Amino acid sequence: MIEFDNVTKQYDDGTVAIEDISFEVEEGTTTVLVGPSGCGKTTTMKLVNRLIEPTEGTVYFEGTDIEQKDEIELRRDVGYVIQEIGLFDHMTVRENVATVPKLKGWDDDRIRERVRELLELMDLPVEEYGDQHPTELSGGQRQRVGVARALAADPDVMLMDEPFGALDPITRAELQDEFLDIQAELDVTILFVTHSVEEALKMGDRIAIFDVGELVQYDTPQNVLENPKNDFVRDFIGQDRELKKLQVTPVRKVMYETNGERLPDVDPVAPSDTAQIALSRLLETDAGRLPVARDGEVVGVVEEADLRGTSDPTRGSI
Amino acid sequence: MVSAPPELALVPLLEIALAPLGIFEELPGAYDFITSNWSQFLHHLWTHIKLVLVSELLAILVAVPLGIAATRFPRAKPTIKGFGNTAQTIPTLAIIFLMLPVTGIGFVTAVAGLFVYALLPILTNTIAGIEDVEDGVVEAARGMGMTDTEVLRKIELPKAIPVIFAGIRTSSVIGVGTAYLAFFVGGGGLGTWVLQGIKLYNMEMAIAGAVPGALLAITLDSGFALLERYLGGDAQQSDDLVSA
Amino acid sequence: MPANAVALVGELAAIGGPAAIGGPAVLGELAAVGEPAFVVLGMITEVFRYFAENQTQLLEYTRQHAILVLRALVVAVPLGVTLGTLITYNDKLATVVLWLAGIMMTIPSVALFALLLPSLGTGSPPVVMALILYTQLPVIRNTYVGLTGVDEAAVEAGEGLGMTKFQRLRKIQIPMALPVVMSGVRNAVVLLVGIAAIGEIVGSGGLGVPIFEGYRSSNTVEIVGATVALALLTLTIDYAFGVVEQVFRLRNGEEIQPNLGTRAVRGLAGAAPSRVSGRDDDADATTTTTSAKP
């Protein structure tokens, strides 16, 4: 969908932001660009909507060199969310969300319908919030409007630059979860920038880890955790690599099917819960093993040993 | 008053653009006028400066303590501020004319009029300067055991000084302008030449009085700006330096 | 002219004099004794009488005065806004233009009228010209501050969403800057009304006429009456421009406590002011209000 082909960006003052970067973002996935500040991740993202032009190399969008596209048209086809949100405080929530459809010249009915739909999706019903100004909203609500605005013209690609970075931890977790749900509903390719490994592991189908100016590893979260390419990646992930692995592994991947054995009488976990939650429950209960239940029906068992090792493919998953 | 008045027609653009250039034709004549009336010029200039200096010193002596008082006694603040704002809407011209019956003709009346108008900028800036000190700083000072007087003397006043200074700067530059009106109450100064020059349509005379006063105001403003920067203010120009 | 002043002093040696002529006899007598409270009371009565007797004339002077200011604004505001917008594209130019406008501001009004006399003659032209020049600093600076002070994230978001440079200026920067520009114009107007009164020294007309007339004829009541009229004009214009500024702010979704005039205007326009919640209405960090500025 988006392909970076030997891209280098050198700024006018001589700093090389990224050097010879090549990777491909697959359609319908969320790719997270992660790394310390100044590593070039934001620069890389801004190449896609041509807020920054590459010094060398080419960026392809659906096979076309983006230099061939009109930059204004391109930006209207690509959703854009930034950490500072950048809502237009002088416009209402409704007008903010309608920005790009209006620029694209949609007719009024279609815009109205789209705004209603999106605000509904963001849990900000249009009757209540449509005529408010952004200044009247909380930080979390503001960023929901920001996301709605970026999604308004039904873009195929969304660029998100640390979208939840300025929120408090609880709101951030909430929005992350909601966004994962929304993303499952929409068929949209996302390029997501963050400096937080935890967020990258949680949000990404693929993770691109940047060191200063270079792309070090581009892989799935599991592979990044299991096979960090070098010391930089290992350090960047941190010493709690095993814990993080638990965080990105769902229970369903480590449980085995029950064969009617007697299970300890403790609260079950769900197959979609993380292995981290299962471990925590195990530590709490001292039971040694936990039932896994979906909609109140026991579907499997998970043991401490399962959490410790990598998943055993012979046990299979449900 | 409802129908559009004919006077609203624009002054022709060309005239507007070229107007200030007319001054330059008159400058040589004005220069000759000054040199041939040198001692008189020095006298007017010195009187002008004295008017500003004396009224400004008096205004500082009154306005700074009054401003401090306003921040110490919150109940008096609206009164003091309201008085200041009302005074602002009264033109200097009226203040000076109205001082006449009270203090009679001469230098004193002029100084009194200038003094009244010089108060406000210093007063408002003193209040703003002290109030703008962050609450956290004041609280920290209290927490260290400073008394109210110590907080004022060691924290609030030092922090407010650049702001107060900006008020003094505004006030003095306005003063240079207002001092032109001193002529009307027999206070002398550069206004003598300007206003008589206008009256007699003697352009050399009028400009001989106007240019030095303008230069005086600009110099004073720039001088204060430098001093302010030295004191740590941001040395921005005020919106209302012109005497009104 | 000093001769006039001498005459005036003589006339006013007994301050109660004018009051005794027009006011209620008792008040007048008490004022003549010099009891300050009665002097003030007598003066108020006198001023009211002056208003009643010179209604038509005073209205005419007020109209002339307002027109002087309006003529200046019609040229000065578009000019200042244009300059203020242009200098946002060049920092060096901004420094120079703001510095020049600042210099202009420090030139005393009496001196500036005199300097414009040779080329523009007497009457209203030199005064209108001076007023135009004095309007430049507040308008240019507030336009500049307003445009550059717009939330950078909003501008960046606008760019990222595919707005052209012109669309960003028109849809984001200008609407957000308008209240700030308006408050600059408002500051300027208050200043202009006062300066225009001095304009009478070159024969501009307006409320300076009765003030000087009062001075020449040693008529304190006339000076006070004209001054009151001038103050009322200032307050009215200030209020009117304040309403315009507030309407812009409310439209931008700022939380302010609208004054009566603003509520009336919005009521007529059919807008719902219900969601506006209170805060200090004059608080505006980006503009420099009357000299209370660090």
Side-chain angles (χ1 to χ4, degrees):
Chain A
M1 179 100 194
I2 301 165
E3 194 187 340
F4 293 82
D5 188 16
N6 301 104
V7 180
T8 295
K9 172 65 191 179
Q10 180 171 19
Y11 287 108
D12 292 340
D13 64 1
T15 12
V16 178
I18 47 172
E19 196 162 10
D20 202 20
I21 301 250
S22 295
F23 70 105
E24 195 181 340
V25 176
E26 282 165 38
E27 190 166 347
T29 62
T30 299
T31 297
V32 181
L33 311 179
V34 63
S37 57
C39 68
K41 55 192 192 294
T42 299
T43 302
T44 306
M45 194 198 73
K46 286 184 177 174
L47 289 167
V48 177
N49 62 356
R50 291 184 62 187
L51 286 175
I52 292 174
E53 303 281 353
T55 320
E56 276 169 51
T58 318
V59 181
Y60 295 97
F61 185 92
E62 290 173 325
T64 318
D65 179 355
I66 59 165
E67 297 284 328
Q68 309 292 320
K69 290 174 175 272
D70 178 74
E71 57 177 15
I72 296 297
E73 292 299 321
L74 174 73
R75 286 174 195 162
R76 290 176 189 177
D77 289 335
V78 174
Y80 188 54
V81 183
I82 55 179
Q83 180 177 348
E84 303 82 8
I85 313 178
L87 290 185
F88 309 137
D89 286 343
H90 63 294
M91 298 180 184
T92 61
V93 167
R94 190 200 303 271
E95 288 166 338
N96 265 283
V97 178
T99 307
V100 182
K102 250 188 206 153
L103 289 172
K104 286 187 143 190
W106 289 15
D107 65 61
D108 289 351
D109 288 344
R110 189 174 166 207
I111 294 178
R112 196 173 310 122
E113 199 37 54
R114 181 65 181 159
V115 170
R116 165 181 301 279
E117 188 186 341
L118 278 168
L119 288 177
E120 214 69 57
L121 187 69
M122 293 296 155
D123 207 18
L124 295 168
V126 73
E127 293 79 13
E128 191 177 342
Y129 293 98
D131 292 324
Q132 291 199 5
H133 279 272
T135 44
E136 298 167 73
L137 306 178
S138 70
Q141 289 172 328
R142 285 169 66 85
Q143 193 53 287
R144 278 170 223 247
V145 177
V147 173
R149 183 177 66 179
L151 286 169
D154 213 357
D156 295 327
V157 174
M158 284 267 277
L159 306 179
M160 306 182 83
D161 190 358
E162 307 226 12
F164 311 130
L167 304 173
D168 64 88
I170 294 171
T171 315
R172 185 188 310 145
E174 253 174 47
L175 253 74
Q176 285 170 343
D177 292 340
E178 274 176 37
F179 191 71
L180 284 171
D181 291 346
I182 290 166
Q183 182 209 347
E185 273 180 53
L186 306 167
D187 184 29
V188 56
T189 309
I190 295 162
L191 207 56
F192 192 110
V193 165
T194 180
H195 64 267
S196 148
V197 184
E198 284 77 11
E199 189 168 54
L201 294 171
K202 181 172 180 183
M203 305 302 289
D205 299 314
R206 295 290 215 98
I207 296 178
I209 298 177
F210 281 72
D211 192 358
V212 184
E214 63 171 322
L215 175 58
V216 184
Q217 187 168 3
Y218 181 48
D219 221 325
T220 61
Q222 273 81 3
N223 280 343
V224 167
L225 286 169
E226 279 162 23
N227 309 303
K229 195 168 176 184
N230 59 18
D231 287 347
F232 171 78
V233 177
R234 201 169 291 121
D235 286 349
F236 190 67
I237 294 168
Q239 297 194 346
D240 56 347
R241 191 151 57 99
E242 289 304 318
L243 283 178
K244 283 184 175 129
K245 222 188 287 180
L246 293 175
Q247 242 170 51
V248 300
T249 311
V251 167
R252 107 173 70 81
K253 282 205 169 171
V254 291
M255 69 186 226
Y256 59 91
E257 280 180 72
T258 169
N259 42 18
E261 66 212 276
R262 230 182 83 80
L263 292 169
D265 187 19
V266 292
D267 283 345
V269 291
S272 60
D273 282 340
T274 62
Q276 191 186 27
I277 289 175
L279 179 64
S280 171
R281 195 71 54 80
L282 278 170
L283 293 173
E284 266 168 38
T285 58
D286 218 12
R289 32 198 229 141
L290 281 179
V292 181
R294 180 188 286 143
D295 300 330
E297 188 193 337
V298 175
V299 292
V301 183
V302 64
E303 288 185 5
E304 205 178 311
D306 300 319
L307 299 172
R308 191 188 303 279
T310 52
S311 62
D312 178 359
T314 56
R315 280 188 193 149
S317 56
I318 296 176
Chain B
M1 274 182 82
V2 181
S3 61
E7 298 96 311
L8 259 176
L10 307 186
V11 179
L13 281 175
L14 192 67
E15 204 180 338
I16 285 180
L18 297 179
L21 298 178
I23 296 158
F24 293 102
E25 288 170 30
E26 302 291 332
L27 285 181
Y31 180 77
D32 289 343
F33 190 90
I34 291 177
T35 46
S36 50
N37 298 281
W38 185 245
S39 65
Q40 210 189 337
F41 170 72
L42 282 184
H43 173 71
H44 289 325
L45 182 64
W46 175 232
T47 311
H48 206 98
I49 293 173
K50 254 197 315 193
L51 282 166
V52 178
L53 216 57
V54 175
S55 59
E56 202 58 33
L57 284 175
L58 288 173
I60 293 170
L61 285 178
V62 174
V64 174
L66 201 60
I68 294 173
T71 59
R72 299 301 104 173
F73 307 104
R75 244 183 293 169
K77 202 178 77 186
T79 320
I80 294 177
K81 273 191 157 175
F83 158 77
N85 286 333
T86 315
Q88 187 78 17
T89 59
I90 303 174
T92 39
L93 200 59
I95 289 183
I96 287 192
F97 287 172
L98 292 172
M99 287 312 286
L100 255 186
V102 185
T103 48
I105 200 160
F107 186 78
V108 176
T109 303
V111 166
L114 289 177
F115 160 78
V116 172
Y117 215 70
L119 282 175
L120 181 72
I122 307 177
L123 181 69
T124 44
N125 275 36
T126 304
I127 296 175
I130 292 177
E131 284 183 345
D132 282 354
V133 177
E134 304 107 272
D135 294 343
V137 175
V138 175
E139 205 178 312
R142 289 239 162 80
M144 287 175 217
M146 286 194 191
T147 63
D148 282 356
T149 324
E150 281 168 339
V151 170
L152 178 69
R153 210 159 43 85
K154 295 192 175 160
I155 311 289
E156 291 176 315
L157 273 185
K159 285 215 158 204
I161 274 183
V163 186
I164 298 176
F165 222 81
I168 295 174
R169 172 185 174 195
T170 307
S171 175
S172 330
V173 176
I174 291 176
V176 173
T178 317
Y180 273 102
L181 303 173
F183 163 74
F184 287 117
V185 292
L190 292 168
T192 315
W193 276 2
V194 175
L195 295 159
Q196 274 178 355
I198 291 172
K199 185 106 187 152
L200 307 169
Y201 216 79
N202 180 342
M203 285 304 114
E204 279 104 26
M205 191 185 200
I207 294 194
V211 172
L215 293 179
L216 182 63
I218 294 168
T219 314
L220 200 62
D221 188 56
S222 316
F224 269 116
L226 287 177
L227 207 56
E228 234 174 272
R229 205 164 296 162
Y230 173 76
L231 284 171
D234 69 350
Q236 255 200 340
Q237 253 146 338
S238 173
D239 272 357
D240 47 5
L241 293 172
V242 190
S243 63
Chain C
M1 232 172 261
N4 280 333
V6 176
L8 180 58
V9 176
E11 179 91 3
L12 295 176
I15 180 85
I21 303 161
V26 185
L27 264 187
E29 275 164 31
L30 282 168
V33 177
E35 194 63 47
F38 293 108
V39 173
V40 171
L41 268 179
M43 182 59 81
I44 292 173
T45 327
E46 280 300 303
V47 169
F48 272 113
R49 180 183 294 268
Y50 169 76
F51 278 146
E53 283 169 3
N54 300 279
Q55 220 178 38
T56 342
Q57 232 185 339
L58 261 183
L59 276 178
E60 170 58 20
Y61 289 137
T62 310
R63 191 188 71 97
Q64 285 177 3
H65 207 97
I67 284 168
L68 276 177
V69 172
L70 284 179
R71 274 171 69 187
L73 287 181
V74 166
V75 178
V77 174
L79 182 65
V81 169
T82 310
L83 284 172
T85 309
L86 285 178
I87 61 174
T88 58
Y89 294 104
N90 187 326
D91 287 349
K92 266 185 201 152
L93 191 68
T95 314
V96 173
V97 168
L98 287 172
W99 179 74
L100 280 177
I103 293 285
M104 197 61 78
M105 205 61 166
T106 59
I107 298 177
S109 53
V110 174
L112 189 55
F113 295 149
L115 293 174
L116 294 170
L117 218 51
S119 37
L120 295 176
T122 52
S124 62
V127 175
V128 172
M129 183 70 196
L131 298 187
I132 291 171
L133 294 174
Y134 286 140
T135 315
Q136 293 312 300
L137 182 65
V139 175
I140 294 177
R141 191 171 59 205
N142 278 41
T143 305
Y144 179 73
V145 168
L147 287 176
T148 51
V150 167
D151 181 16
E152 269 176 52
V155 180
E156 197 203 321
E159 188 178 8
L161 292 172
M163 288 185 176
T164 62
K165 202 169 188 175
F166 180 68
Q167 281 168 335
R168 292 199 297 274
L169 188 67
R170 197 165 57 88
K171 292 192 170 167
I172 305 174
Q173 289 169 292
I174 288 178
M176 281 183 160
L178 262 181
V180 184
V181 176
M182 246 352 269
S183 95
V185 174
R186 188 179 159 195
N187 279 356
V189 167
V190 172
L191 190 70
L192 297 194
V193 176
I195 298 172
I198 302 176
E200 176 55 16
I201 62 170
V202 292
S204 66
L207 284 165
V209 177
I211 293 180
F212 275 95
E213 209 174 79
Y215 163 73
R216 270 189 288 271
S217 59
S218 306
N219 184 348
T220 312
V221 174
E222 192 171 10
I223 298 177
V224 173
T227 303
V228 171
L230 196 65
L232 287 177
L233 180 65
T234 308
L235 293 175
T236 310
I237 294 186
D238 185 42
Y239 192 83
F241 278 86
V243 167
V244 178
E245 186 189 331
Q246 285 200 335
V247 169
F248 281 134
R249 285 188 189 281
L250 287 171
R251 190 164 290 172
N252 280 4
E254 283 183 45
E255 293 191 359
I256 56 167
Q257 187 71 60
N259 64 30
L260 201 66
T262 309
R263 288 201 295 272
V265 169
R266 286 177 64 83
L268 288 175
S274 57
R275 52 169 188 74
V276 174
S277 54
R279 235 194 36 163
D280 187 22
D281 68 327
D282 279 326
D284 174 22
T286 48
T287 57
T288 51
T289 47
T290 327
S291 72
K293 175 179 59 63

